Amino acid sequence: MTLNFKASDVTDGGMHTFEVGDQKVLVTRDGDDLHAFDALCPHAGADLGEGVRCGSRIVCPWHHATFHAGDGSLIEPPALEGLKEYRVKSDGESLSVDLEDEIKPPTPKPSHEDHHTVIIGGGASGFMVAQTLRHGGYAGKITMLTAENRAPYDRTALSKAYLSGKKPADKLALGGADWAKENKIDLREGVKVTKLDREAHEVHLDGDSLGFDAVIVATGATPNTLKVPGAELDGQYQLRSFQDAQALKDAAQGKNIVIIGSSFIGLEAASSLIEGAASITVIGQEAEIMSRALTPKVGRAIRKLHEDRGVKFHLNAEVEAIEGSGKAEAVRLKSGERIKADLVLLGIGVKPNSDLLSDLANKKGAVPVDAHLLAAPNVYAVGDIALAPTLLGEMRVEHWRVALQEGMTAAQSILESFDLEPMDRRVPFFWTQQYGKSLRYVGHAESLDDTHIWGNPDELKFIEFAFKDGQAVAASGMGMDNDLAAFEELLLLGRVLRAEEIRKGEFSLVERLK
C-alpha cells in the first residue's frame, strides 16, 4: 500500500495522521524534512497524530510515551520500543510512502563485550534495564534473577484488563513470550538472592554466587498487611503479583468482596471485579477516595462512577477486626458496623524491598540514588526502592512509567551514553483506568492545600492543578488529554504556569507550547 500526499498537507513543525487502507501513517514535517512512521503508539494503540508535538518530541495523548520526530526512536516509556519508520519519496510537489519500504534503525556499535550486568528483580525497571542495554549495543552478559516463576510481565494489567477478563495471561509478557531468549538474557526464575557483597562484586544465591561488573537492584515492594485480630484468617488477598491476581480472579466470582483501602489499586480492582461479584464494599480511612492525589471534589466524581455500578463505600472508617471461623466471613469496623465478606482484598500500600541495600536505605526503606540511579559504585537501585531526584525534587515513586524511566536511565549510565535525560530532568506521571475511564496525573504535589479546577469533574472532563509557592507543580485530569501532555512538556521546558494565570480562566496548554 502507498500513501500519496503533499508537504502542505502537514503543518511545518507539526505532524498529521493519514489513513492508508486499514493502517495509519504518521508524517512529521520540519521544513522540507519529512518522516513517516506507524501512527499507533506501540504501548496501547493511541493515534499519535492526536497527541502533542513539542520540538523533536512526539507525545502520546494517553500515557505520554514519547518518540523522536526525526527517527521515531523511543525517548520516554511506557512504550518499550520506538516507531517503525518508512521512507518518504519525493517527485516534485508530490510525496509518497510505500509501506513495504521500511527504514531499519541503525545497528549500534557493540560495546562492553567482557562486561557482566546482574539484574535482581524481574519487574518493570529490571526489564527496561536489559531492554535498553541490548538496544544500545551492550554485548556483554546479562543475568536476570527473579523470585517469581515467571518472565517479566505487565503488572499494570493485573488490576485492570487481567482481572476483568479482557487480557489473558499469555498476553501479559513484556517484550513477548520469547523476549529473554531473543535478547540473550540469562533469565533465572524462582531465585532468591540472599546477599549482595558490594566489595567483592558478588551476588549470593542459595548455594551459588555470581560475579558482576554492574548490579541493578530492582527488588520492588511488598504489600502491607493488616495488624488486627483475624488478620491470619484465610480468604484474604493481596494484589501485587500475577499469582496474587490469578488467585483473586479464581476466588472472586459470585462473592461478597470487601476491599480495604480506597486508593488506586483497590478501586481498579473494584472496577474489574464488579460484574461477577455479588457485592463490593470499599473501606477507606480518609474522608474521600484517592485523597493523597485528588481533592474531595474530584474524588467524589470518581466515587460516583463506582456507586452508579453498585459499589458501596465506608469512608472515615477503620477496621477493628476480621471475623470468621477458619476463613474471613466479615469485616468489623471500629464504629461497630459489621460488613459481610466472603473475600477480603487488601490495598493498603506497600513497603520497599531494600534488604539487600539496608545499610544505604533510610528509615522508610528507600535507597537514595543520584540522577543516574547509582546508589554506590557499580550498584544501581531502581523502581520502588529508589529515592531518586526528579525535576520536581527527590522522591520515591511507585508508578509504572517512573520504574521504566529509571531502568532506561540506569542502562544509559552503564552504556556511558547520556543521550536520554537523567532522572532529575524527568517528570513523574501515572494513570489509572476505572470502568473504561482514564484519570492521568502529571507532576507531584506534597499537599492539596492550594488547587484550581478547569472544567467539571462531574462530567469527567477537567484538569485539577496543584500549586506550590504560586506555581503549578501537578495536574490531574480526565477528557483533556492533550492539555495534560502539554503540561508535562511545559514543566520539562521550565515554563512553569503560575497560579494567578490559571485562575483567570481556561486556555490551551498545547497552544502555549508553540
Side-chain angles (χ1 to χ4, degrees), residues 274 300-313 435 458 460:
I274 187 64
R300 282 193 299 272
I302 296 174
R303 174 160 54 92
K304 189 174 184 300
L305 266 178
H306 290 267
E307 290 174 334
D308 287 347
R309 289 159 177 81
V311 178
K312 298 176 182 177
F313 288 84
Y435 306 106
D458 292 333
L460 304 182

Side-chain angles (χ1 to χ4, degrees), residues 192 198 363 385 401 418-419:
K192 180 174 175 56
R198 301 199 298 270
K363 291 181 180 179
I385 70 169
R401 193 228 199 179
F418 300 108
D419 295 336

Side-chain angles (χ1 to χ4, degrees), residues 329-404:
E329 297 172 4
V331 175
R332 189 174 78 246
L333 305 181
K334 284 201 170 177
S335 65
E337 189 166 0
R338 189 175 184 272
I339 304 165
K340 184 178 180 181
D342 304 315
L343 182 156
V344 176
L345 173 61
L346 304 179
I348 51 176
V350 298
K351 56 186 176 184
N353 295 329
S354 52
D355 289 354
L356 294 175
L357 297 174
S358 59
D359 61 316
L360 300 178
N362 65 18
K363 291 181 180 179
K364 294 183 178 181
V367 179
V369 296
D370 67 10
H372 300 289
L373 283 302
L374 272 167
N378 305 304
V379 178
Y380 298 81
V382 296
D384 291 345
I385 70 169
L387 179 64
T390 73
L391 192 65
L392 296 168
E394 190 178 61
M395 60 190 79
R396 187 180 74 82
V397 183
E398 297 168 359
H399 299 299
W400 186 255
R401 193 228 199 179
V402 173
L404 292 169

Side-chain angles (χ1 to χ4, degrees), residues 163 248-257 273 275-278 342-343:
L163 273 191
L248 176 61
K249 186 178 180 182
D250 291 345
Q253 195 71 21
K255 298 293 176 60
N256 294 295
I257 300 171
L273 295 172
E275 274 194 29
D342 304 315
L343 182 156

Side-chain angles (χ1 to χ4, degrees), residues 278-490:
S279 70
I280 292 184
T281 302
V282 176
I283 300 170
Q285 286 188 315
E286 308 296 333
E288 193 48 83
I289 65 170
M290 299 188 289
S291 60
R292 292 186 181 180
L294 309 174
T295 60
K297 185 174 183 178
V298 176
R300 282 193 299 272
I302 296 174
R303 174 160 54 92
K304 189 174 184 300
L305 266 178
H306 290 267
E307 290 174 334
D308 287 347
R309 289 159 177 81
V311 178
K312 298 176 182 177
F313 288 84
H314 290 263
L315 301 175
N316 272 330
E318 194 169 344
V319 174
E320 187 168 68
I322 308 296
E323 299 180 341
S325 178
K327 69 176 295 295
E329 297 172 4
V331 175
R332 189 174 78 246
L333 305 181
K334 284 201 170 177
S335 65
E337 189 166 0
R338 189 175 184 272
I339 304 165
K340 184 178 180 181
D342 304 315
L343 182 156
V344 176
L345 173 61
L346 304 179
I348 51 176
V350 298
K351 56 186 176 184
N353 295 329
S354 52
D355 289 354
L356 294 175
L357 297 174
S358 59
D359 61 316
L360 300 178
N362 65 18
K363 291 181 180 179
K364 294 183 178 181
V367 179
V369 296
D370 67 10
H372 300 289
L373 283 302
L374 272 167
N378 305 304
V379 178
Y380 298 81
V382 296
D384 291 345
I385 70 169
L387 179 64
T390 73
L391 192 65
L392 296 168
E394 190 178 61
M395 60 190 79
R396 187 180 74 82
V397 183
E398 297 168 359
H399 299 299
W400 186 255
R401 193 228 199 179
V402 173
L404 292 169
Q405 286 176 321
E406 290 177 351
M408 290 180 74
T409 300
Q412 288 288 320
S413 179
I414 293 170
L415 290 166
E416 300 176 333
S417 169
F418 300 108
D419 295 336
L420 299 179
E421 294 282 7
M423 280 306 297
D424 60 358
R425 292 294 307 159
R426 286 177 152 148
V427 175
F429 166 80
F430 71 86
W431 75 93
T432 180
Q433 188 173 46
Q434 298 167 34
Y435 306 106
K437 306 292 184 181
S438 287
L439 171 82
R440 302 182 175 101
Y441 185 104
V442 174
H444 177 74
E446 290 289 344
S447 78
L448 297 174
D449 295 335
D450 189 8
T451 61
H452 184 75
I453 294 176
W454 285 355
N456 187 349
D458 292 333
E459 296 175 358
L460 304 182
K461 187 173 183 180
F462 69 92
I463 294 181
E464 179 173 64
F465 298 94
F467 307 113
K468 179 182 180 182
D469 299 329
Q471 295 184 326
V473 294
S476 60
M478 301 176 79
M480 299 177 72
D481 297 341
N482 279 2
D483 280 310
L484 272 176
F487 179 77
E488 181 173 344
E489 294 301 302
L490 288 167

Side-chain angles (χ1 to χ4, degrees), residues 188-209:
R188 304 188 189 184
E189 301 174 18
V191 172
K192 180 174 175 56
V193 175
T194 57
K195 181 182 177 183
L196 173 59
D197 189 332
R198 301 199 298 270
E199 288 190 10
H201 281 213
E202 287 185 338
V203 174
H204 292 260
L205 318 174
D206 285 330
D208 194 8
S209 64

